[in-house]
mmCIF file of all heavy atoms in Angstrom:
data_model
loop_
_atom_site.group_PDB
_atom_site.id
_atom_site.type_symbol
_atom_site.label_atom_id
_atom_site.label_comp_id
_atom_site.label_asym_id
_atom_site.label_seq_id
_atom_site.Cartn_x
_atom_site.Cartn_y
_atom_site.Cartn_z
ATOM 1 N N TYR A 9 237.004 112.406 113.056
ATOM 2 C CA TYR A 9 237.777 112.021 111.875
ATOM 3 C C TYR A 9 239.178 111.582 112.277
ATOM 4 O O TYR A 9 239.776 112.164 113.187
ATOM 5 C CB TYR A 9 237.896 113.193 110.889
ATOM 6 C CG TYR A 9 236.657 113.396 110.049
ATOM 7 C CD1 TYR A 9 235.614 114.188 110.504
ATOM 8 C CD2 TYR A 9 236.527 112.765 108.814
ATOM 9 C CE1 TYR A 9 234.468 114.368 109.744
ATOM 10 C CE2 TYR A 9 235.381 112.933 108.045
ATOM 11 C CZ TYR A 9 234.364 113.729 108.521
ATOM 12 O OH TYR A 9 233.231 113.898 107.760
ATOM 13 N N ILE A 39 237.440 116.018 99.127
ATOM 14 C CA ILE A 39 236.450 114.976 98.809
ATOM 15 C C ILE A 39 235.547 115.443 97.654
ATOM 16 O O ILE A 39 234.349 115.703 97.816
ATOM 17 C CB ILE A 39 235.617 114.517 100.033
ATOM 18 C CG1 ILE A 39 236.512 114.369 101.276
ATOM 19 C CG2 ILE A 39 234.906 113.195 99.709
ATOM 20 C CD1 ILE A 39 235.821 113.803 102.505
ATOM 21 N N ALA A 40 236.161 115.564 96.488
ATOM 22 C CA ALA A 40 235.431 115.866 95.239
ATOM 23 C C ALA A 40 234.642 117.168 95.313
ATOM 24 O O ALA A 40 233.582 117.296 94.705
ATOM 25 C CB ALA A 40 234.510 114.695 94.871
ATOM 26 N N THR A 41 235.164 118.115 96.068
ATOM 27 C CA THR A 41 234.397 119.333 96.344
ATOM 28 C C THR A 41 235.048 120.590 95.760
ATOM 29 O O THR A 41 234.345 121.478 95.267
ATOM 30 C CB THR A 41 234.207 119.447 97.876
ATOM 31 O OG1 THR A 41 233.381 118.367 98.289
ATOM 32 C CG2 THR A 41 233.587 120.753 98.284
ATOM 33 N N ASN A 94 222.487 123.612 102.478
ATOM 34 C CA ASN A 94 223.889 123.803 102.879
ATOM 35 C C ASN A 94 224.803 122.602 102.745
ATOM 36 O O ASN A 94 226.008 122.739 102.943
ATOM 37 C CB ASN A 94 223.940 124.272 104.332
ATOM 38 C CG ASN A 94 223.061 125.481 104.538
ATOM 39 O OD1 ASN A 94 223.411 126.578 104.152
ATOM 40 N ND2 ASN A 94 221.884 125.269 105.117
ATOM 41 N N SER A 95 224.240 121.431 102.488
ATOM 42 C CA SER A 95 225.087 120.236 102.460
ATOM 43 C C SER A 95 224.389 119.133 101.697
ATOM 44 O O SER A 95 223.198 119.242 101.363
ATOM 45 C CB SER A 95 225.373 119.757 103.886
ATOM 46 O OG SER A 95 224.177 119.229 104.445
ATOM 47 N N GLY A 96 225.137 118.051 101.497
ATOM 48 C CA GLY A 96 224.576 116.905 100.790
ATOM 49 C C GLY A 96 223.492 116.213 101.578
ATOM 50 O O GLY A 96 222.421 115.894 101.047
ATOM 51 N N ALA A 97 223.745 115.980 102.857
ATOM 52 C CA ALA A 97 222.753 115.291 103.684
ATOM 53 C C ALA A 97 221.460 116.103 103.758
ATOM 54 O O ALA A 97 220.359 115.556 103.674
ATOM 55 C CB ALA A 97 223.312 115.059 105.091
ATOM 56 N N GLU A 98 221.611 117.403 103.876
ATOM 57 C CA GLU A 98 220.427 118.256 103.967
ATOM 58 C C GLU A 98 219.646 118.246 102.644
ATOM 59 O O GLU A 98 218.409 118.265 102.640
ATOM 60 C CB GLU A 98 220.859 119.683 104.337
ATOM 61 C CG GLU A 98 219.690 120.582 104.710
ATOM 62 C CD GLU A 98 220.110 122.048 104.899
ATOM 63 O OE1 GLU A 98 221.315 122.356 104.838
ATOM 64 O OE2 GLU A 98 219.212 122.874 105.094
ATOM 65 N N ALA A 99 220.365 118.211 101.536
ATOM 66 C CA ALA A 99 219.699 118.124 100.231
ATOM 67 C C ALA A 99 218.937 116.803 100.118
ATOM 68 O O ALA A 99 217.793 116.767 99.641
ATOM 69 C CB ALA A 99 220.720 118.251 99.102
ATOM 70 N N ASN A 100 219.547 115.715 100.597
ATOM 71 C CA ASN A 100 218.876 114.417 100.519
ATOM 72 C C ASN A 100 217.642 114.361 101.419
ATOM 73 O O ASN A 100 216.624 113.780 101.044
ATOM 74 C CB ASN A 100 219.853 113.301 100.882
ATOM 75 C CG ASN A 100 220.820 113.017 99.752
ATOM 76 O OD1 ASN A 100 220.502 113.251 98.578
ATOM 77 N ND2 ASN A 100 222.003 112.534 100.084
ATOM 78 N N ALA A 128 224.796 102.157 99.654
ATOM 79 C CA ALA A 128 224.513 103.581 99.444
ATOM 80 C C ALA A 128 225.239 104.438 100.473
ATOM 81 O O ALA A 128 225.596 103.959 101.559
ATOM 82 C CB ALA A 128 223.010 103.829 99.555
ATOM 83 N N PHE A 129 225.438 105.689 100.132
ATOM 84 C CA PHE A 129 225.819 106.690 101.133
ATOM 85 C C PHE A 129 225.039 107.968 100.854
ATOM 86 O O PHE A 129 225.155 108.546 99.779
ATOM 87 C CB PHE A 129 227.319 106.996 101.134
ATOM 88 C CG PHE A 129 227.671 107.969 102.236
ATOM 89 C CD1 PHE A 129 227.826 107.528 103.546
ATOM 90 C CD2 PHE A 129 227.784 109.335 101.976
ATOM 91 C CE1 PHE A 129 228.104 108.428 104.567
ATOM 92 C CE2 PHE A 129 228.060 110.230 103.001
ATOM 93 C CZ PHE A 129 228.218 109.783 104.298
ATOM 94 N N HIS A 130 224.218 108.366 101.833
ATOM 95 C CA HIS A 130 223.395 109.559 101.639
ATOM 96 C C HIS A 130 223.616 110.610 102.717
ATOM 97 O O HIS A 130 222.902 111.616 102.720
ATOM 98 C CB HIS A 130 221.916 109.167 101.558
ATOM 99 C CG HIS A 130 221.603 108.269 100.397
ATOM 100 N ND1 HIS A 130 221.851 108.638 99.085
ATOM 101 C CD2 HIS A 130 221.090 107.003 100.330
ATOM 102 C CE1 HIS A 130 221.482 107.639 98.279
ATOM 103 N NE2 HIS A 130 221.026 106.641 99.006
ATOM 104 N N GLY A 131 224.554 110.383 103.637
ATOM 105 C CA GLY A 131 224.846 111.420 104.632
ATOM 106 C C GLY A 131 224.609 110.947 106.052
ATOM 107 O O GLY A 131 224.227 109.798 106.282
ATOM 108 N N ARG A 132 224.821 111.860 107.014
ATOM 109 C CA ARG A 132 224.927 111.478 108.421
ATOM 110 C C ARG A 132 223.799 111.981 109.303
ATOM 111 O O ARG A 132 223.886 111.847 110.525
ATOM 112 C CB ARG A 132 226.249 112.006 108.973
ATOM 113 C CG ARG A 132 227.469 111.508 108.236
ATOM 114 C CD ARG A 132 227.691 110.030 108.403
ATOM 115 N NE ARG A 132 229.073 109.693 108.096
ATOM 116 C CZ ARG A 132 229.803 108.866 108.819
ATOM 117 N NH1 ARG A 132 229.302 108.260 109.865
ATOM 118 N NH2 ARG A 132 231.048 108.613 108.470
ATOM 119 N N THR A 133 222.789 112.626 108.745
ATOM 120 C CA THR A 133 221.645 113.022 109.572
ATOM 121 C C THR A 133 220.876 111.756 109.946
ATOM 122 O O THR A 133 221.084 110.690 109.349
ATOM 123 C CB THR A 133 220.720 113.961 108.802
ATOM 124 O OG1 THR A 133 220.300 113.307 107.611
ATOM 125 C CG2 THR A 133 221.433 115.272 108.439
ATOM 126 N N MET A 136 219.041 110.174 106.994
ATOM 127 C CA MET A 136 219.952 109.726 105.941
ATOM 128 C C MET A 136 220.831 108.568 106.395
ATOM 129 O O MET A 136 221.314 107.791 105.574
ATOM 130 C CB MET A 136 220.783 110.892 105.400
ATOM 131 C CG MET A 136 219.965 111.836 104.539
ATOM 132 S SD MET A 136 218.997 110.976 103.255
ATOM 133 C CE MET A 136 217.348 111.122 103.905
ATOM 134 N N THR A 140 221.133 105.393 104.162
ATOM 135 C CA THR A 140 222.443 104.786 103.909
ATOM 136 C C THR A 140 222.406 103.309 104.293
ATOM 137 O O THR A 140 222.849 102.451 103.543
ATOM 138 C CB THR A 140 223.534 105.544 104.695
ATOM 139 O OG1 THR A 140 223.608 106.884 104.186
ATOM 140 C CG2 THR A 140 224.876 104.869 104.604
ATOM 141 N N MET A 179 215.655 105.699 95.460
ATOM 142 C CA MET A 179 216.707 106.708 95.665
ATOM 143 C C MET A 179 218.067 106.047 95.512
ATOM 144 O O MET A 179 218.358 105.044 96.167
ATOM 145 C CB MET A 179 216.546 107.269 97.083
ATOM 146 C CG MET A 179 217.614 108.235 97.527
ATOM 147 S SD MET A 179 217.106 108.910 99.138
ATOM 148 C CE MET A 179 218.557 109.826 99.572
ATOM 149 N N LEU A 180 218.892 106.605 94.628
ATOM 150 C CA LEU A 180 220.222 106.012 94.449
ATOM 151 C C LEU A 180 221.224 107.011 93.900
ATOM 152 O O LEU A 180 220.848 108.050 93.346
ATOM 153 C CB LEU A 180 220.152 104.791 93.528
ATOM 154 C CG LEU A 180 220.010 105.023 92.026
ATOM 155 C CD1 LEU A 180 220.514 103.805 91.276
ATOM 156 C CD2 LEU A 180 218.574 105.317 91.629
ATOM 157 N N GLU A 181 222.491 106.654 94.055
ATOM 158 C CA GLU A 181 223.596 107.398 93.449
ATOM 159 C C GLU A 181 223.877 106.767 92.076
ATOM 160 O O GLU A 181 224.005 105.549 91.998
ATOM 161 C CB GLU A 181 224.865 107.251 94.292
ATOM 162 C CG GLU A 181 224.757 107.708 95.729
ATOM 163 C CD GLU A 181 225.710 106.921 96.641
ATOM 164 O OE1 GLU A 181 226.891 107.281 96.714
ATOM 165 O OE2 GLU A 181 225.270 105.945 97.277
ATOM 166 N N PRO A 182 224.016 107.571 91.022
ATOM 167 C CA PRO A 182 224.371 107.002 89.714
ATOM 168 C C PRO A 182 225.728 106.309 89.749
ATOM 169 O O PRO A 182 225.981 105.372 88.985
ATOM 170 C CB PRO A 182 224.411 108.200 88.774
ATOM 171 C CG PRO A 182 223.715 109.305 89.482
ATOM 172 C CD PRO A 182 223.814 109.032 90.949
ATOM 173 N N ILE A 183 226.611 106.797 90.627
ATOM 174 C CA ILE A 183 227.856 106.075 90.935
ATOM 175 C C ILE A 183 227.981 106.092 92.447
ATOM 176 O O ILE A 183 228.003 107.163 93.049
ATOM 177 C CB ILE A 183 229.084 106.768 90.310
ATOM 178 C CG1 ILE A 183 228.937 106.870 88.787
ATOM 179 C CG2 ILE A 183 230.369 106.009 90.676
ATOM 180 C CD1 ILE A 183 229.995 107.733 88.125
ATOM 181 N N GLN A 184 228.027 104.924 93.063
ATOM 182 C CA GLN A 184 228.187 104.895 94.514
ATOM 183 C C GLN A 184 229.610 105.330 94.840
ATOM 184 O O GLN A 184 230.572 104.670 94.441
ATOM 185 C CB GLN A 184 227.907 103.494 95.059
ATOM 186 C CG GLN A 184 226.430 103.114 94.925
ATOM 187 C CD GLN A 184 226.085 101.833 95.654
ATOM 188 O OE1 GLN A 184 226.930 100.937 95.802
ATOM 189 N NE2 GLN A 184 224.835 101.721 96.094
ATOM 190 N N GLY A 185 229.722 106.456 95.545
ATOM 191 C CA GLY A 185 231.040 107.031 95.817
ATOM 192 C C GLY A 185 231.700 106.432 97.039
ATOM 193 O O GLY A 185 232.709 105.727 96.935
ATOM 194 N N GLU A 186 231.096 106.675 98.192
ATOM 195 C CA GLU A 186 231.739 106.284 99.452
ATOM 196 C C GLU A 186 231.973 104.777 99.532
ATOM 197 O O GLU A 186 232.935 104.329 100.149
ATOM 198 C CB GLU A 186 230.893 106.734 100.651
ATOM 199 C CG GLU A 186 230.670 108.239 100.743
ATOM 200 C CD GLU A 186 231.957 109.045 100.763
ATOM 201 O OE1 GLU A 186 232.848 108.726 101.559
ATOM 202 O OE2 GLU A 186 232.054 110.005 99.969
ATOM 203 N N ASP A 214 220.729 110.820 93.932
ATOM 204 C CA ASP A 214 221.682 111.517 94.786
ATOM 205 C C ASP A 214 222.931 111.784 93.946
ATOM 206 O O ASP A 214 223.760 110.892 93.746
ATOM 207 C CB ASP A 214 222.001 110.658 96.019
ATOM 208 C CG ASP A 214 223.055 111.299 96.925
ATOM 209 O OD1 ASP A 214 223.718 112.262 96.489
ATOM 210 O OD2 ASP A 214 223.213 110.818 98.069
ATOM 211 N N GLU A 215 223.007 113.015 93.431
ATOM 212 C CA GLU A 215 224.204 113.418 92.655
ATOM 213 C C GLU A 215 225.048 114.395 93.473
ATOM 214 O O GLU A 215 225.634 115.327 92.932
ATOM 215 C CB GLU A 215 223.784 114.004 91.298
ATOM 216 C CG GLU A 215 223.175 112.964 90.369
ATOM 217 C CD GLU A 215 223.807 112.955 88.970
ATOM 218 O OE1 GLU A 215 224.992 113.346 88.843
ATOM 219 O OE2 GLU A 215 223.106 112.558 88.026
ATOM 220 N N VAL A 216 225.098 114.141 94.778
ATOM 221 C CA VAL A 216 225.893 115.000 95.656
ATOM 222 C C VAL A 216 227.366 114.948 95.234
ATOM 223 O O VAL A 216 228.052 115.972 95.178
ATOM 224 C CB VAL A 216 225.713 114.593 97.135
ATOM 225 C CG1 VAL A 216 226.756 115.261 98.027
ATOM 226 C CG2 VAL A 216 224.308 114.952 97.612
ATOM 227 N N GLN A 217 227.845 113.748 94.905
ATOM 228 C CA GLN A 217 229.252 113.593 94.531
ATOM 229 C C GLN A 217 229.458 113.559 93.017
ATOM 230 O O GLN A 217 230.469 114.032 92.506
ATOM 231 C CB GLN A 217 229.818 112.305 95.155
ATOM 232 C CG GLN A 217 231.296 112.129 94.977
ATOM 233 C CD GLN A 217 231.928 111.169 95.982
ATOM 234 O OE1 GLN A 217 233.079 110.833 95.885
ATOM 235 N NE2 GLN A 217 231.197 110.740 96.980
ATOM 236 N N THR A 218 228.485 113.003 92.289
ATOM 237 C CA THR A 218 228.647 112.804 90.840
ATOM 238 C C THR A 218 228.284 114.047 90.031
ATOM 239 O O THR A 218 228.559 114.093 88.835
ATOM 240 C CB THR A 218 227.749 111.636 90.366
ATOM 241 O OG1 THR A 218 226.405 111.893 90.822
ATOM 242 C CG2 THR A 218 228.206 110.315 90.922
ATOM 243 N N SER A 240 219.394 115.492 94.176
ATOM 244 C CA SER A 240 220.179 116.315 95.101
ATOM 245 C C SER A 240 221.572 116.513 94.518
ATOM 246 O O SER A 240 222.073 115.665 93.785
ATOM 247 C CB SER A 240 220.292 115.606 96.451
ATOM 248 O OG SER A 240 220.900 114.338 96.273
ATOM 249 N N THR A 241 222.183 117.632 94.863
ATOM 250 C CA THR A 241 223.590 117.822 94.528
ATOM 251 C C THR A 241 224.193 118.734 95.591
ATOM 252 O O THR A 241 223.465 119.371 96.347
ATOM 253 C CB THR A 241 223.776 118.353 93.086
ATOM 254 O OG1 THR A 241 225.148 118.186 92.714
ATOM 255 C CG2 THR A 241 223.398 119.823 92.957
ATOM 256 N N ALA A 242 225.512 118.738 95.702
ATOM 257 C CA ALA A 242 226.135 119.582 96.724
ATOM 258 C C ALA A 242 227.641 119.730 96.457
ATOM 259 O O ALA A 242 228.085 120.771 95.990
ATOM 260 C CB ALA A 242 225.890 119.034 98.132
ATOM 261 N N LYS A 243 228.408 118.684 96.744
ATOM 262 C CA LYS A 243 229.867 118.786 96.878
ATOM 263 C C LYS A 243 230.528 119.823 95.966
ATOM 264 O O LYS A 243 231.086 120.795 96.444
ATOM 265 C CB LYS A 243 230.505 117.414 96.680
ATOM 266 C CG LYS A 243 230.347 116.518 97.916
ATOM 267 C CD LYS A 243 231.172 115.246 97.808
ATOM 268 C CE LYS A 243 231.261 114.500 99.116
ATOM 269 N NZ LYS A 243 230.101 113.638 99.426
ATOM 270 N N PRO A 250 230.219 125.958 101.181
ATOM 271 C CA PRO A 250 229.113 125.029 101.432
ATOM 272 C C PRO A 250 227.801 125.479 100.774
ATOM 273 O O PRO A 250 227.312 126.570 101.045
ATOM 274 C CB PRO A 250 228.954 125.053 102.960
ATOM 275 C CG PRO A 250 230.195 125.700 103.481
ATOM 276 C CD PRO A 250 230.695 126.602 102.404
ATOM 277 N N ILE A 251 227.281 124.615 99.901
ATOM 278 C CA ILE A 251 225.948 124.820 99.334
ATOM 279 C C ILE A 251 225.452 123.476 98.802
ATOM 280 O O ILE A 251 226.232 122.692 98.256
ATOM 281 C CB ILE A 251 225.947 125.900 98.213
ATOM 282 C CG1 ILE A 251 224.523 126.085 97.635
ATOM 283 C CG2 ILE A 251 226.947 125.591 97.117
ATOM 284 C CD1 ILE A 251 224.363 127.296 96.712
ATOM 285 N N GLY A 252 224.176 123.214 98.998
ATOM 286 C CA GLY A 252 223.534 122.039 98.423
ATOM 287 C C GLY A 252 222.311 122.495 97.658
ATOM 288 O O GLY A 252 221.874 123.641 97.801
ATOM 289 N N ARG A 362 240.462 106.506 95.971
ATOM 290 C CA ARG A 362 239.612 107.390 95.161
ATOM 291 C C ARG A 362 240.426 108.588 94.684
ATOM 292 O O ARG A 362 241.035 109.282 95.482
ATOM 293 C CB ARG A 362 238.427 107.836 96.025
ATOM 294 C CG ARG A 362 237.444 108.708 95.339
ATOM 295 C CD ARG A 362 236.146 108.913 96.140
ATOM 296 N NE ARG A 362 236.197 108.633 97.563
ATOM 297 C CZ ARG A 362 235.252 108.995 98.440
ATOM 298 N NH1 ARG A 362 234.185 109.647 98.007
ATOM 299 N NH2 ARG A 362 235.343 108.705 99.723
HETATM 300 C C1 PLP B 1 229.169 113.358 100.527
HETATM 301 C C2 PLP B 1 227.883 112.738 100.164
HETATM 302 C C3 PLP B 1 226.717 112.981 100.899
HETATM 303 C C4 PLP B 1 226.722 113.802 102.175
HETATM 304 O O1 PLP B 1 227.062 115.131 101.930
HETATM 305 P P1 PLP B 1 227.408 116.091 103.194
HETATM 306 O O2 PLP B 1 227.626 117.424 102.536
HETATM 307 O O3 PLP B 1 228.628 115.519 103.833
HETATM 308 O O4 PLP B 1 226.233 116.053 104.080
HETATM 309 C C5 PLP B 1 225.542 112.438 100.452
HETATM 310 N N1 PLP B 1 225.494 111.676 99.339
HETATM 311 C C6 PLP B 1 226.590 111.411 98.611
HETATM 312 C C7 PLP B 1 226.468 110.581 97.383
HETATM 313 C C8 PLP B 1 227.826 111.920 99.001
HETATM 314 O O5 PLP B 1 228.914 111.635 98.287
#
Side-chain angles (χ1 to χ4, degrees):
Y9 281 87
I39 318 185
T41 294
N94 307 284
S95 70
E98 191 188 355
N100 284 333
F129 183 80
H130 298 301
R132 302 293 200 137
T133 57
M136 287 310 107
T140 296
M179 175 173 173
L180 76 157
E181 302 151 83
I183 301 171
Q184 292 189 330
E186 300 304 310
D214 177 346
E215 292 231 27
V216 167
Q217 187 159 173
T218 53
S240 58
T241 195
K243 283 189 168 82
I251 180 169
R362 182 169 19 167

